[in-house]
Amino acid sequence: KPIGKSSAAQSGNWEPEKDYCTEGLGVEGEGEVVNLAFHTLTCKDRVERFIAIRLKVAIAYSITKDKYGCEMTLDPKDYATSPRVLAHDTLLERVKVPEDVRSGGEDDLHPAQPGLFELWCGAQTEARKLAVGEEIHFRTDKDSFLIKSFHLTKIGTFAGREGGQVMAEMSQLASGITKTKLEQDEMEGVDEDEWGDEDEDED
């Protein structure tokens, strides 16, 4: 069915790093897309557009780092026993969308609808090509309802593109962030056969 539309307004400027993305390292998880909406948020200084994703969350856990500052992975076989896994009520505390900007009613979300959460992704990202019933792996921007990146958990297509390609392209937030060019892209006039040869002539 066609994607719906919703809108909301907030009195202040769009400053997610001050208002929403303030605590924690974020949440990582997986779930099934239940509903989608083009959500327009009118702020004092700008208009921001998102895809509001209603997601039936199957698993969610805290992003953590080890003592060296490296992010720690979580093997699916450890979901049942890991203290990093979040109960739905705890997840709600981390990612709840404020009532005044939410795309829809609270009756459609956890706890009224167990395990159902609303998360936002920038409307200019691949999220605009999502479909109800698809399953995604997501990461939030700190402990917030804003998705920092996501990919499909099953090989599928986004408007004819191979799923593997989509999974390799992490979507970015609608905060003016653009993908950083690789160093190779910035270097002109260097032949491919010169890559990696810089150390060969050293004694």
Side-chain angles (χ1 to χ4, degrees):
K1 66 178 182 179
I3 188 170
K5 294 183 179 180
S6 59
S7 62
Q10 69 175 37
S11 57
N13 293 337
W14 175 246
E15 298 177 301
E17 70 285 348
K18 186 181 77 174
D19 296 330
Y20 306 125
C21 310
T22 59
E23 298 180 359
L25 296 176
V27 172
E28 192 165 355
E30 295 183 354
E32 179 182 350
V33 177
V34 174
N35 192 42
L36 296 159
F38 282 114
H39 188 55
T40 302
L41 181 65
T42 302
C43 309
K44 183 179 180 180
D45 63 333
R46 72 180 82 178
V47 174
E48 290 285 338
R49 293 176 175 84
F50 301 91
I51 303 299
I53 305 169
R54 295 290 175 102
L55 199 66
K56 182 73 172 180
V57 174
I59 186 71
Y61 50 90
S62 299
I63 295 174
T64 59
K65 294 182 178 181
D66 62 21
K67 62 182 180 180
Y68 303 108
C70 299
E71 201 168 291
M72 300 174 65
T73 59
L74 184 60
D75 195 301
K77 67 180 176 60
D78 296 324
Y79 285 168
T81 57
S82 174
R84 292 172 57 187
V85 173
L86 303 171
H88 286 156
D89 289 348
T90 306
L91 177 62
L92 183 63
E93 296 172 1
R94 304 271 189 97
V95 303
K96 186 176 183 178
V97 183
E99 182 179 359
D100 57 337
V101 300
R102 197 170 50 229
S103 72
E106 193 170 33
D107 291 343
D108 298 331
L109 299 172
H110 187 84
Q113 298 293 327
L116 195 61
F117 295 84
E118 178 174 314
L119 299 172
W120 295 6
C121 204
Q124 89 287 5
T125 70
E126 295 290 353
R128 71 189 186 280
K129 300 176 184 177
L130 282 171
V132 170
E134 288 188 307
E135 297 176 7
I136 65 170
H137 184 106
F138 68 89
R139 294 164 60 93
T140 65
D141 188 352
K142 296 191 175 179
D143 290 350
S144 76
F145 55 91
L146 297 170
I147 292 178
K148 187 175 183 179
S149 63
F150 79 93
H151 62 259
L152 294 175
T153 59
K154 296 181 179 178
I155 298 300
T157 60
F158 272 147
R161 298 169 59 192
E162 293 184 3
Q165 180 182 356
V166 173
M167 292 173 73
E169 295 183 6
M170 303 302 269
S171 301
Q172 298 297 323
L173 272 176
S175 56
I177 298 174
T178 57
K179 292 177 181 175
T180 304
K181 286 187 176 182
L182 296 175
E183 184 181 356
Q184 297 94 301
D185 296 335
E186 304 289 352
M187 299 179 68
E188 298 179 358
V190 180
D191 294 329
E192 288 186 9
D193 57 3
E194 293 182 30
W195 288 109
D197 295 340
E198 56 193 17
D199 296 327
E200 292 186 2
D201 296 330
E202 294 183 5
D203 295 329

